[in-house]
Structure formats: structure tokens, C-alpha cells
Amino acid sequence: MKQIVLKIHPDDSVLVALTDLPAGKQIQWEGSRLTTTEEIPAKHKVAITAFEPGDPITMYGVLVGKAKQPIQQGGRLTTFNVQHATNSYDLHTSSYQWQAPEVSRWADMTYMGYRRTDGRVGTANYWLVVPLVFCENRNIQVLEEALVNDLGYARRHTYQNQTQELKALVQAGHTVEEVLQADLGEASQSFGSLDRKSLRLFPNVDGVKFLAHDGGCGGTRQDAQALCGLLAGYITHPNVAGATVLSLGCQNAQVAMLQEEIQKRSPQFSKPLYVLEQQTAGTEESLIGQALRQTFAGLMQANACVREPVPLNTLTVGLECGGSDGFSGISANPAVGHASDLLVALGGTVILSEFPELCGVEQELCDRCVDAETARRFRELMSTYAQRAKEVGSGFDMNPSPGNIRDGLITDAMKSAGASKKGGTSPVAAVLDYPELVTKPGLNLLCTPGNDVESTTAEVGSGATVVLFTTGLGTPTGNPIAPVIKISSNTALTNRMPDIIDINTGTVIDGDETIQQAGERILEHIIRVASGDLEVAAVRHGQDDFIPWKRGVSL
């Protein structure tokens, strides 16, 4: 008989509904039974025992909230009757022992990557065009219009045919209602059945990417320094062959600041880098002309880069989630966590970020740190972030979005306990502050907001060459230079939004696959993507999300 509820941890006081449960439904699990007192939607939580106000609620074996209203046994947990709560945490002597998974089947496996002169290995080969300040965004747009189509990097799909159909209806005098009800044809293929790569002037360059942003001036000097650090992370990134940088001249984010951040990350930096200053160049025509000539020269050099076999321990994988649901923490996230453990056991590097979504699991992560100094830094970054959030009236407890709550994640601690599963069980090798570069193999914790685009942007800036992104509600998030592999927590989402999902782990909920099997499947997928053999949905759609984090409070 198909399982209809799940008790995640032996100490839990709630069950997860794996399907919609009507009122009066008798539930059996592990020799126990109860009857639901109301309708419980799939992904929501059922009270195993009655709760009185103030009673602790446990899930994943940790405190995730407290009752604020009486809850009957068999009742549904909601934001009306439960409030966020977590246990305190501290530093103490830990002798964490990790049981690494068996990885012999992948020990001698390689992928086809781009080996750079600094020893790092990329999974792609891009050229960047970067503004140092928002004043240059229009010039960045001019360069994009001049370069993308003629170099063969235009979007695969176009909706112009649909626009033409609607235009014809308006010209023919059709009504608003007729336009709204019009049956439009499918989006056309820009290049028909031709392989896009065959149309590229530079076939070994995966694309020219433009990192427009709203920073560089007008904020604090710390904002400018952090922005330059992030941009330096992208310029020195192993997925990048070189860059063209546009500066106005008078902004806070000065060229010297960028060069300083580049040297921090790559002391022997040798990629082609062209920096132009508009206030020195003079007219737009002069600036754009120079930028085009230099970018073409850089692309000619970038096109000489080729893939070669490299070991799996050169992979650096970001771990991200967005649009999470009540299944994320029991399917997609633990499956990614197993893939993370496999990568770490193979000598690779993984990055877990989104500090507001580690709220409630701090003690476990502190205990997993390789030494007291690493644990101390994690505690300091977490407590400082939490305090700043409270000071502006926006504590971590306000992190869950309306979509999270609608699909069963009703407290930040509940959301965090599931989100942290992406980090697997390996020791915490290092703790980094934004936008520091990852330098140690193993599990790295990176201080970022919970916002998925800001966090993904930061993970890639810190060195992630591939990103695993779990979602239960569906989000198209991508990145300009790193493939973002979208992993669904439930089969219904995969069927509803197949154009943005790469991997379905709803198979775990459906009972067709174990967490370990799904994690192994994810690792195999990573290897194919890293080799350039498989194009992920976000790359296919040109989903180039890039939002730098300003160190104000963002959850």
C-alpha cells in the first residue's frame, strides 16, 4: 500500500502528508495510528499528539516552532496555531565522525573541462562584458545589441511570430475580447533545425555575457568594495576566458579597486582583460568602437580554449533552493545532499549558502565544523546577520514566502531544517563571508541572503562552476556563466513546468526511488552538464539572472 504520511525523524511530533488527507481519515505509521480532525493538504503537517500553547514542535529532530493555539491530535499545523521557534546553540568540543559514502564507481571517472592557467577548471567558456557602475548599463546594452545576434548567440526561441499574429488581428479591427481569446501558434525556432553552435563565429566560446547591475556608486564604500569583489570573482572564474570592463571614471567602484580584488583571487592573473573609461574615451562612438575591437580580440583568444579530461575533484558545485515546498526537505534537498556527500568523498567542493535558511540547525553545523575557529566564524556571521535583520524589524522568522507557507513551510525553522539537507552530512571545511573565494575542498558555508538570485549570484562569484537548484513551486532562476541544474521536489511540478525542470526527484515521494538513488542520478547529471554534453533548461532559455547583494538586510 502506498505510504500517505511520513515521520522524518524518530523524535518528531508531526507527520508530513504525502497526499491530500480528508477529515476523519485514519492514519497508520510505525505501529501507531490517529484520525485526522480536518482536511490536511499534501505537504502540510499533521499533529501526532495534542499541543497546548507554548508546547514545542519538533521536525527533522529539531525544534521548528511552538504552538500558539491549542492543536488537536490529527489537526493541521498552520501559521494561525504555530509560531517560529528555535533552540539556542553554542560552541563546544565536538568529535564529529563522518561516514563517507562509497564512491569507487566514480573514482577514476573524468569530465571534459577547461583547465585554466591558475589550476582551476571550468565547465564552460564565456566572455564577459562588465559595467563597473550602473551609468554604463546603456553602453552594455548597446554592445549586447551589436554582438549577440551576429556572433550566433541569439535566443533559440522567438515569439515574434505570435506578435505578428496579434498585430494582424488589431489591424483587421478585432475586439479586445477577440484578441484575448486568440489561438496563437507555437514559438518559432530562430534558426530552424540548424545547430546553434554551427552558426557561431567562435565555436569554442559558449557565449558573451553582460552583467548589468544597479551598483558601483551612490551607496557606501563597503558596497562598492563588495561589488568589485563579486565582479572580480566572475572575471577570474574558471568558466570565464576573459572580460571587457566599462567604467565611467568618477564612480565609487574604481578600476583600481577591481584590480585589487582580482589580485586577491588570482595573483598571477593572465586572462585577456580590457578596461575602458568613458570619461577618457569621449564620445559613445569612440567608446563602443574600442570596446568592440578589444572584445573581438579577446574572443579570438578565448576561442583557442578547448575541453580536456579532468578529474571529478576539480568540480565546485553550488547548492541552492528557491520556491521551496513541503516536499523539498524530504526529496530534492536530501537527494542533493547525498550528491554533495558523493562529491566531497571524491575530493570535490560544494557550497551551501542562504544563511537565513540555516536558522535552527546552527548547532548541528557548528558540531560538524572541522575546528573551533571555523565554528566560531559561522556563529559570528549568523548572529550578526540575525541581529541586523531584527534591527530593521525583519527577523529570520519572516523569511518564508507566501508560496512557502501555502505549500506547508509555515516557519523559518521548518523551512531551514529541510533546506540545510542540501549540505549532506560531510564536515564543514570552511565558512566564508560574501563575496570571498572558495579555496578549500569539501563543504563550504557561504554567508548570503535567502533570496535565490542573490545567493546563486554569490555562489558563482565564490567559484561554483555548476549549481544544483531545488524547487517545489517552480522558478526559472539561472546564471550568466554557470549552468544551474533545476531539480523538482515533486512529479506534479515536473509535469506542469517541464520546460524549466532538469531533474525530477518527485520519484522519492512517489516511492519509485530512494534518496541515495536520486543522489547518484544527480551526480551523473552533473558530470554530463560539466562536460558540455547536456544543456540545462536555464542555459537553453538564456536565463542570465545576476543580482549583487548589497550588505543591507535581505532575507
Side-chain angles (χ1 to χ4, degrees):
M1 186 172 67
K2 185 176 180 180
Q3 190 175 1
I4 61 173
V5 293
L6 174 68
K7 187 178 182 182
I8 300 172
H9 189 278
D11 296 337
D12 287 357
S13 56
V14 299
L15 303 170
V16 182
L18 301 181
T19 188
D20 293 339
L21 303 175
K25 176 72 173 179
Q26 288 193 341
I27 299 172
Q28 295 186 35
W29 80 98
E30 299 175 2
S32 300
R33 66 175 58 196
L34 60 76
T35 302
T36 59
T37 60
E38 56 186 305
E39 291 184 359
I40 313 289
K43 309 179 186 180
H44 285 256
K45 316 305 177 286
V46 187
I48 291 177
T49 185
F51 295 104
E52 293 298 324
D55 285 351
I57 296 168
T58 304
M59 190 174 170
Y60 298 97
V62 298
L63 179 67
V64 297
K66 289 186 177 181
K68 60 181 182 179
Q69 300 288 339
I71 306 172
Q72 292 181 290
Q73 182 190 44
R76 173 185 171 188
L77 276 63
T78 68
T79 53
F80 172 75
N81 58 32
V82 175
Q83 62 186 4
H84 170 83
T86 61
N87 284 320
S88 59
Y89 62 99
D90 206 348
L91 304 181
H92 51 72
T93 302
S94 174
S95 55
Y96 182 72
Q97 298 294 319
W98 181 48
Q99 185 66 43
E102 170 59 42
V103 293
S104 57
R105 64 186 271 197
W106 297 282
D108 298 322
M109 191 174 291
T110 61
Y111 70 99
M112 298 298 290
Y114 291 96
R115 192 179 291 279
R116 305 299 181 182
T117 57
D118 62 0
R120 298 163 72 194
V121 176
T123 63
N125 190 41
Y126 288 103
W127 185 269
L128 285 183
V129 181
V130 182
L132 267 182
V133 62
F134 56 80
C135 309
E136 291 302 312
N137 282 347
R138 193 188 71 82
N139 287 326
I140 294 294
Q141 185 178 9
V142 170
L143 286 171
E144 185 172 6
E145 291 170 352
L147 290 168
V148 171
N149 287 339
D150 287 346
L151 293 183
Y153 299 113
R155 282 171 53 90
R156 174 176 293 183
H157 292 286
T158 176
Y159 292 89
Q160 288 178 316
N161 60 315
Q162 297 184 354
T163 300
Q164 292 299 322
E165 290 177 36
L166 292 168
K167 177 181 174 182
L169 291 177
V170 172
Q171 290 174 331
H174 287 261
T175 66
V176 169
E177 187 61 30
E178 288 172 326
V179 168
L180 289 172
Q181 297 301 320
D183 185 14
L184 301 177
E186 293 184 2
S188 63
Q189 294 279 342
S190 295
F191 305 120
S193 60
L194 290 175
D195 176 18
R196 286 184 299 161
K197 192 169 183 178
S198 68
L199 297 176
R200 296 176 185 170
L201 178 61
F202 304 106
N204 292 331
V205 179
D206 293 307
V208 182
K209 298 298 182 176
F210 305 82
L211 304 186
H213 57 81
D214 64 357
C217 204
T220 66
R221 292 298 191 272
Q222 290 82 1
D223 284 340
Q225 191 79 45
L227 175 65
C228 285
L230 178 70
L231 296 178
Y234 274 70
I235 291 169
T236 60
H237 196 283
N239 287 7
V240 172
T244 303
V245 177
L246 298 191
S247 167
L248 178 60
C250 58
Q251 72 277 351
N252 288 343
Q254 286 286 296
V255 171
M257 188 181 289
L258 175 66
Q259 291 171 332
E260 172 191 334
E261 293 292 340
I262 288 173
Q263 286 301 307
K264 283 182 186 178
R265 288 158 177 79
S266 181
Q268 305 301 318
F269 182 76
S270 60
K271 295 178 183 178
L273 177 66
Y274 302 105
V275 181
L276 297 100
E277 195 164 273
Q278 187 175 7
Q279 290 171 345
T280 300
T283 65
E284 174 191 301
E285 184 177 357
S286 176
L287 176 72
I288 299 301
Q290 291 181 58
L292 286 172
R293 287 191 294 272
Q294 292 178 350
T295 299
F296 262 74
L299 287 167
M300 292 169 70
Q301 297 172 72
N303 197 49
C305 301
V306 294
R307 293 183 183 270
E308 61 182 272
V310 288
L312 298 185
N313 65 8
T314 60
L315 283 168
T316 300
V317 177
L319 312 172
E320 186 62 45
C321 59
S324 298
D325 72 345
F327 286 165
S328 293
I330 58 177
S331 61
N333 291 345
V336 164
H338 186 62
S340 301
D341 284 346
L342 293 173
L343 282 164
V344 172
L346 288 163
T349 306
V350 295
I351 307 171
L352 180 65
S353 56
E354 300 181 292
F355 272 30
E357 296 177 15
L358 300 179
C359 179
V361 295
E362 297 97 335
Q363 190 65 64
E364 178 200 341
L365 291 171
C366 281
D367 293 346
R368 286 167 57 186
C369 287
V370 293
D371 54 42
E373 183 57 38
T374 302
R376 189 174 298 111
R377 192 174 198 214
F378 174 61
R379 182 182 65 175
E380 289 173 354
L381 287 171
M382 278 292 289
S383 58
T384 299
Y385 198 160
Q387 183 59 38
R388 287 177 178 171
K390 288 179 181 177
E391 287 170 357
V392 296
S394 187
F396 283 176
D397 60 298
M398 300 179 72
N399 173 271
S401 70
N404 296 149
I405 294 168
R406 184 183 67 243
D407 271 42
L409 300 178
I410 60 174
T411 73
D412 184 51
M414 187 181 291
K415 180 179 178 180
S416 296
S420 66
K421 297 300 179 184
K422 300 191 302 294
T425 60
S426 68
V428 176
V431 176
L432 308 173
D433 196 8
Y434 172 84
E436 291 176 342
L437 176 68
V438 168
T439 59
K440 294 183 179 179
L443 173 61
N444 288 252
L445 304 182
L446 173 65
C447 183
T448 75
N451 176 282
D452 55 0
V453 177
E454 287 177 316
S455 183
T456 301
T457 299
E459 285 186 346
V460 176
S462 289
T465 54
V466 176
V467 177
L468 298 177
F469 189 116
T470 67
T471 183
L473 304 177
T475 174
T477 302
N479 183 265
I481 65 168
V484 177
I485 301 173
K486 211 63 58 58
I487 302 171
S488 170
S489 73
N490 61 91
T491 302
L493 171 61
T494 302
N495 293 337
R496 187 172 69 253
M497 304 179 75
D499 57 323
I500 69 166
I501 299 299
D502 299 294
I503 298 175
N504 176 31
T505 59
T507 49
V508 174
I509 303 296
D510 300 336
D512 298 329
E513 193 174 33
T514 66
I515 293 292
Q516 291 72 27
Q517 289 169 335
E520 292 173 0
R521 182 160 56 92
I522 290 169
L523 176 59
E524 298 284 353
H525 201 94
I526 292 170
I527 295 168
R528 292 180 63 198
V529 169
S531 294
D533 295 333
L534 191 62
E535 185 177 61
V536 302
V539 171
R540 186 166 62 249
H541 294 311
Q543 188 81 33
D544 294 338
D545 300 308
F546 180 80
I547 302 180
W549 180 29
K550 293 182 179 179
R551 289 304 293 259
V553 172
S554 174
L555 297 178

